[in-house]
Amino acid sequence: MSSLQMAALLSAPSSPVVAGSLRFVASSSTGRNGNALVVRSEVKIPTGLCARGVNLITHAVAEKTAAANTTDSKPGHELLLFEALREGLDEEMERDPTVCVMGEDVGHYGGSYKVTKGLATKYGDLRVLDTPIAENSFTGMGIGAAMTGLRPVVEGMNMGFLLLAYNQISNNCGMLHYTSGGQFKIPIVIRGPGGVGRQLGAEHSQRLESYLQSIPGLQMVACSTPYNAKGLMKAAIRSENPVVLFEHVLLYNLKERIPDEEYVLSLEEAEMVRPGEHVTILTYSRMRYHVMQAAKTLVNKGYDPEVIDIRSLKPFDLYTIGNSIKKTHRVLIVEECMRTGGIGASLRSAIIDNFWDYLDAPIICLSSQDVPTPYAGTLEDWTVVQPAQIVAAVEQICK
Amino acid sequence: MAAFSAVKISPPQFTPVRSTSQRPASTPVQSIHSSSAAFSSGSFASSKSVLSRPLFAVSAVVSSDKTKSRSAPASHPAVTREEALELYEDMVLGRSFEDMCAQMYYRGKMFGFVHLYNGQEAVSTGFIKLLNQADKVISTYRDHVHALSKGVPAREVMAELFGKSTGCCRGQGGSMHMFSAAHNLLGGFAFIGEGIPVATGAAFSAKYNHEVLKQSKPEGLDVTCAFFGDGTCNNGQFFECLNMAQLWKLPIIFVVENNLWAIGMSHLRATSDPEIWKKGPAFGMPGVHVDGMDVLKVREVANEAIARARRGEGPTLVECETYRFRGHSLADPDELRKAEEKAHFAARDPIPALKKYIIEQGLASESELKSIDKKVDDLVEEAVEFADASPHPPRSQLLENVFADPKGFGIGPDGKYRCEDPLFTQGTAQV
């Protein structure tokens, strides 16, 4: 499957992702025989056209493969989200020799989502460690290594597998700094893909952010674009705290142009995606794209939603969120967690605690159904929030 | 037993202590007590132990058993006078401290779950006194004596138990979570088995320092000792870490303190093959069985295992057969263990045994040993006084140490980081 089709499939089933403020671009694919099929970057994908359609190729120019960034004179370079993660990781490993990677198939295989491809060749088998299938123990091993001077990045091949490491993540990762009276720090990064994919079945479609959020001492961030993926990866590695970095299975092939200069994002800040006046929509990870799709429809209907990607799942950036609520007085939360005990539940409660006086309408939280994710595609689509529901919710809030 | 009506299961028999020297001929043996040949070969030896040096039995039971003695005790003792006195003092400190803990607990100075180490001192002393300051120790909830052996001052451990801010963990850890960065004690864990991966990680760091960071030491790799019990040896993390440690030849020693009981569960009722040392060779590492009531035997085995690890030859599994004289914790009525079993092991108390050995070998006089006893008693008394006089943690301490970087508490509605809130430093902020 070409990356063009892959990128198309990443968007929601019905309509394409809005280019707009996201700087989302159609993908380009490099042909195996050296021909580069290039789609002009930052094309605004016309509304109503299905991204799976052939229309995207109308601007294609066949070129010989050249270095990707000579195709136009814009600053920065284009890459896919998984490459952005790798770039961030590579830069940090180069900068600090105590940064190492541990996980299943991260070394010789290059990572099951290619995030660590090539790193084992560059840094060796000990710095990019292929572990046996023993999540609890190798996560604990990462924690012990972090306590003794290293900065490990532990990969869960799928976030769901890290349920096996819950003992270590909760008791040791989150709590050891405290129970040791501050004597040992645990600068570990635990990362991996989670979320509902394309018919991966219930166990490979889990949202661990809701299970891990209660663990004191842990920070949690979710990336959603190549730009913030690289920035958050670097920030997480540099942080002295244990950080869980949530990636999403369906977002790895997103393409974006990111700066050539080095940049590190703040772990605690949220990201303003689309400023607006009528309603604050808080979201993260894949649901950001469903929200932006719904935003297109909403704009056509005359609404002006403000979309914030909260990015920091724990702690919440109450400043960005609060400023938005003080402006719009209406809040919609769109998340992929299940209704019970999800990030949305905590966020709603934090908003009520802090910004009750600013609310003109009840907070609506759209979450996935409390259902093990079914295999069947139709059922799976109905368990997660779809853009049409988001539109309906905004209409209800703004009545 | 009543639950199993269909199959008659006989109650666990108390098996006489397996001797330090002979094994049943039918069982191939990896159980060697002081032979370096067994370690380097890593393979099964014959049923009779091959000893390169005479064994010195310090327990009365074994030395009186003529059929088991190998040769007459040599004219030179296995330890020097200084070493012997160091071992003696360390074991006496462990015992006195734990006895004082029991007193203090019943007087309401400490609370919660307190697990005492009485009877097992030979294992802690035998191993830890051979370690350097840079070597790491990881323990379980039965960690007071491991902390003391590693060098954490008695007053800091006692203050921690009293929940005072002068404790080694500022009162935030308690009995089951003793940590000391200065002495490289990496805990203190409440769930059994969860410390073993942490220990494996510490050993991984040692290897990483040597191979990647090129920070090698002339004496070799830093060694990690992980202490845990017989109950833990049925837990997944134990096996997963045996695999990884051997796979990567990590400088770690897995020390099993087999005291035959996991609260009220006899080791024999919980384990299909109760000989834990055998599980080492199943993963490709040497498995050694040693009499854990005999500090000199433990020390000999430890010496070999530590040397192996330093040279980069990888992990060793050491099963120390030992016994705890008290219940599992101070809340355990200890009704299941039979009086004969307790009496048998009480007779093999490692401290009187070492004392007898020291006097018989002419390493020190009775009065010198008594003065060590007194010194330790004074030290423990002083520790209690210190702990009593120390302050309780103030409210302002509540939110400290949750994060190494307190920015992790996030950004508040006013745009400032929560940790900059003045209420935060008072411990009353809403986080």
Side-chain angles (χ1 to χ4, degrees):
Chain A
M1 181 191 293
S2 77
S3 54
L4 184 77
Q5 290 167 288
M6 184 68 84
L9 280 173
L10 291 175
S11 56
S14 50
S15 45
V17 178
V18 172
S21 58
L22 280 184
R23 297 181 290 141
F24 176 81
V25 297
S27 74
S28 73
S29 74
T30 309
R32 278 187 199 83
N33 56 0
N35 291 332
L37 196 66
V38 174
V39 180
R40 277 277 166 257
S41 59
E42 295 196 278
V43 153
K44 277 225 191 266
I45 303 168
T47 323
L49 270 177
C50 175
R52 294 177 212 254
V54 189
N55 291 317
L56 281 167
I57 317 283
T58 51
H59 297 284
V61 174
E63 288 178 27
K64 283 269 166 17
T65 313
N69 53 8
T70 61
T71 56
D72 54 44
S73 57
K74 287 198 164 63
H77 56 287
E78 268 184 355
L79 38 52
L80 306 181
L81 195 147
F82 75 88
E83 292 169 335
L85 288 167
R86 188 199 314 148
E87 206 172 82
L89 186 50
D90 194 355
E91 285 176 14
E92 292 303 299
M93 288 181 80
E94 184 117 31
R95 174 183 178 267
D96 182 351
T98 62
V99 179
C100 54
V101 182
M102 302 175 181
E104 294 160 14
D105 275 329
V106 296
H108 294 188
Y109 195 74
S112 50
Y113 291 92
K114 295 177 290 189
V115 173
T116 51
K117 187 161 183 209
L119 295 183
T121 320
K122 185 171 175 186
Y123 295 109
D125 281 349
L126 204 61
R127 276 191 87 182
V128 186
L129 187 73
D130 277 325
T131 61
I133 306 173
E135 278 79 4
N136 203 13
S137 292
F138 70 70
T139 304
M141 195 175 93
I143 292 165
M147 287 166 77
T148 46
L150 300 187
R151 304 185 81 96
V153 177
V154 172
E155 172 173 311
M157 189 184 274
N158 184 286
M159 267 291 171
F161 300 172
L162 292 180
L163 287 173
L164 286 137
Y166 206 105
N167 177 4
Q168 292 293 338
I169 296 174
S170 170
N171 287 1
N172 291 346
C173 198
M175 298 190 198
L176 271 190
H177 185 72
Y178 194 81
T179 49
S180 70
Q183 293 183 81
F184 291 96
K185 62 181 166 94
I186 301 149
I188 195 174
V189 177
I190 297 176
R191 51 159 291 269
V196 176
R198 289 263 175 260
Q199 300 189 243
L200 300 179
E203 292 178 11
H204 281 80
S205 310
Q206 302 196 64
R207 282 79 76 193
L208 248 63
E209 54 268 26
S210 50
Y211 306 153
L212 298 182
Q213 65 174 323
S214 286
I215 299 172
L218 215 58
Q219 268 189 266
M220 307 197 313
V221 288
C223 62
S224 50
T225 67
Y227 178 76
N228 65 33
K230 178 176 173 184
L232 290 175
M233 170 72 93
K234 288 169 73 85
I237 292 174
R238 293 191 194 189
S239 173
E240 300 299 309
N241 298 334
V243 179
V244 184
L245 170 58
F246 290 92
E247 302 154 14
H248 197 287
V249 277
L250 293 183
L251 299 185
Y252 278 130
N253 285 330
L254 282 182
K255 179 176 256 181
E256 191 178 6
R257 180 168 291 276
I258 66 169
D260 288 329
E261 321 68 76
E262 194 184 26
Y263 66 95
V264 180
L265 294 177
S266 164
L267 288 174
E268 297 86 24
E269 285 177 15
E271 185 178 317
M272 177 66 69
V273 181
R274 182 192 187 282
E277 296 290 323
H278 291 163
V279 59
T280 300
I281 306 183
L282 302 171
T283 183
Y284 67 93
S285 193
R286 179 202 175 191
M287 285 297 123
R288 167 184 173 146
Y289 295 96
H290 283 204
V291 167
M292 289 311 292
Q293 223 169 290
K296 210 69 180 82
T297 312
L298 288 168
V299 163
N300 287 343
K301 291 188 175 203
Y303 294 97
D304 187 21
E306 176 151 296
V307 180
I308 295 176
D309 181 338
I310 62 172
R311 258 180 19 196
S312 176
L313 306 182
K314 178 178 176 160
F316 296 130
D317 176 3
L318 292 179
Y319 182 61
T320 307
I321 293 170
N323 284 351
S324 177
I325 294 172
K326 288 173 188 174
K327 181 168 55 159
T328 67
H329 310 294
R330 291 177 164 79
V331 183
L332 170 65
I333 301 170
V334 181
E335 59 162 354
E336 203 174 314
C337 284
M338 287 184 258
R339 165 153 303 280
T340 305
I343 296 293
S346 300
L347 185 53
R348 195 189 224 164
S349 130
I351 293 171
I352 290 172
D353 280 347
N354 288 285
F355 307 116
W356 173 258
D357 288 333
Y358 296 98
L359 293 171
D360 284 349
I363 305 171
I364 294 186
C365 180
L366 295 178
S367 328
S368 297
Q369 304 282 332
D370 276 348
V371 159
T373 311
Y375 165 74
T378 46
L379 292 178
E380 185 182 69
D381 284 344
W382 291 323
T383 57
V384 298
V385 178
Q386 297 296 344
Q389 292 165 264
I390 300 172
V391 171
V394 168
E395 287 176 326
Q396 188 185 334
I397 289 180
C398 290
K399 255 203 264 284
Chain B
M1 295 301 129
F4 300 94
S5 51
V7 175
K8 180 144 172 49
I9 299 174
S10 47
Q13 296 300 319
F14 164 62
T15 52
V17 64
R18 281 165 288 185
S19 88
T20 55
S21 43
Q22 275 195 348
R23 310 280 311 164
S26 57
T27 321
V29 167
Q30 184 61 34
S31 163
I32 304 296
H33 309 296
S34 64
S35 164
S36 46
F39 279 103
S40 46
S41 67
S43 59
F44 286 92
S46 63
S47 59
K48 284 224 171 72
S49 324
V50 174
L51 301 172
S52 56
R53 277 199 280 147
L55 257 184
F56 295 97
V58 292
S59 97
V61 167
V62 177
S63 62
S64 66
D65 189 340
K66 294 287 183 279
T67 61
K68 293 189 176 97
S69 66
R70 301 254 129 210
S71 59
S75 54
H76 59 275
V79 285
T80 66
R81 175 190 145 84
E82 287 70 36
E83 287 167 348
L85 292 180
E86 184 193 22
L87 299 179
Y88 181 77
E89 182 168 339
D90 194 55
M91 290 205 289
V92 168
L93 174 61
R95 181 69 58 88
S96 303
F97 189 93
E98 297 292 71
D99 283 340
M100 183 61 82
C101 276
Q103 268 195 61
M104 294 297 113
Y105 188 84
Y106 294 126
R107 283 198 209 164
K109 300 286 182 87
M110 62 179 85
F111 299 93
F113 294 126
V114 179
H115 309 82
L116 300 181
Y117 200 74
N118 298 45
Q120 301 183 195
E121 294 85 359
V123 181
S124 177
T125 300
F127 270 92
I128 299 180
K129 282 310 174 196
L130 287 173
L131 297 178
N132 299 333
Q133 190 272 346
D135 295 324
K136 319 278 190 282
V137 166
I138 282 92
S139 178
T140 59
Y141 44 73
R142 204 178 297 283
D143 56 353
H144 307 169
V145 178
H146 295 133
L148 296 170
S149 293
K150 195 61 172 62
V152 183
R155 46 168 34 197
E156 284 181 28
V157 182
M158 191 62 81
E160 183 62 32
L161 292 168
F162 282 26
K164 302 295 180 79
S165 57
T166 50
C168 55
C169 299
R170 308 181 79 200
Q172 290 166 194
S175 168
M176 300 186 280
H177 304 283
M178 293 290 166
F179 287 82
S180 171
H183 300 279
N184 283 306
L185 172 68
L186 270 61
F189 293 93
F191 287 20
I192 60 152
E194 70 179 356
I196 306 178
V198 174
T200 309
F204 177 82
S205 278
K207 184 180 167 89
Y208 191 99
N209 282 346
H210 172 70
E211 289 188 18
V212 177
L213 302 178
K214 312 288 185 212
Q215 290 164 4
S216 308
K217 297 182 180 176
E219 58 267 29
L221 297 172
D222 284 339
V223 169
T224 303
C225 271
F227 293 88
F228 50 92
D230 44 284
T232 307
C233 295
N234 293 326
N235 186 277
Q237 287 172 99
F238 168 63
F239 298 109
E240 288 172 2
C241 290
L242 286 184
N243 178 44
M244 292 195 292
Q246 178 60 22
L247 189 60
W248 299 315
K249 294 250 191 310
L250 301 182
I252 184 172
I253 307 168
F254 297 102
V255 184
V256 183
E257 295 170 322
N258 182 356
N259 58 23
L260 302 176
W261 290 87
I263 307 187
M265 192 64 166
S266 150
H267 176 57
L268 303 172
R269 287 185 70 219
T271 316
S272 54
D273 185 348
E275 295 188 277
I276 300 170
W277 60 268
K278 278 191 198 169
K279 299 177 189 188
F283 288 88
M285 73 179 78
V288 185
H289 177 267
V290 68
D291 174 6
M293 305 304 277
D294 180 335
V295 67
L296 296 183
K297 292 206 189 80
V298 173
R299 191 180 156 89
E300 278 211 69
V301 166
N303 212 4
E304 188 68 46
I306 291 169
R308 253 178 60 84
R310 283 213 205 288
R311 288 193 299 263
E313 289 170 24
T316 312
L317 176 67
V318 181
E319 179 187 355
C320 303
E321 201 180 326
T322 181
Y323 201 75
R324 49 168 166 82
F325 294 156
R326 289 182 178 267
H328 164 74
S329 72
L330 289 173
D332 175 17
D334 193 16
E335 288 160 349
L336 281 180
R337 303 191 300 174
K338 297 218 163 26
E340 310 89 73
E341 184 185 271
K342 296 185 194 180
H344 174 88
F345 282 98
R348 298 176 54 217
D349 189 330
I351 297 174
L354 182 64
K355 181 169 184 174
K356 181 163 186 274
Y357 176 83
I358 287 175
I359 291 171
E360 276 175 359
Q361 296 294 320
L363 294 169
S365 68
E366 175 119 18
S367 66
E368 280 177 298
L369 296 180
K370 278 215 159 41
S371 73
I372 291 179
D373 291 346
K374 168 113 190 19
K375 174 181 164 198
V376 166
D377 278 342
D378 289 344
L379 184 74
V380 173
E381 289 274 358
E382 192 269 326
V384 172
E385 280 161 20
F386 172 79
D388 258 336
S390 292
H392 288 284
R395 177 90 199 233
S396 57
Q397 197 181 306
L398 180 66
L399 300 173
E400 290 170 7
N401 309 134
V402 176
F403 290 104
D405 177 2
K407 296 216 298 282
F409 281 112
I411 302 171
D414 59 0
K416 293 216 288 273
Y417 275 95
R418 280 278 170 67
C419 53
E420 295 168 320
D421 175 357
L423 289 184
F424 183 93
T425 50
Q426 292 167 25
T428 51
Q430 183 69 33
V431 289

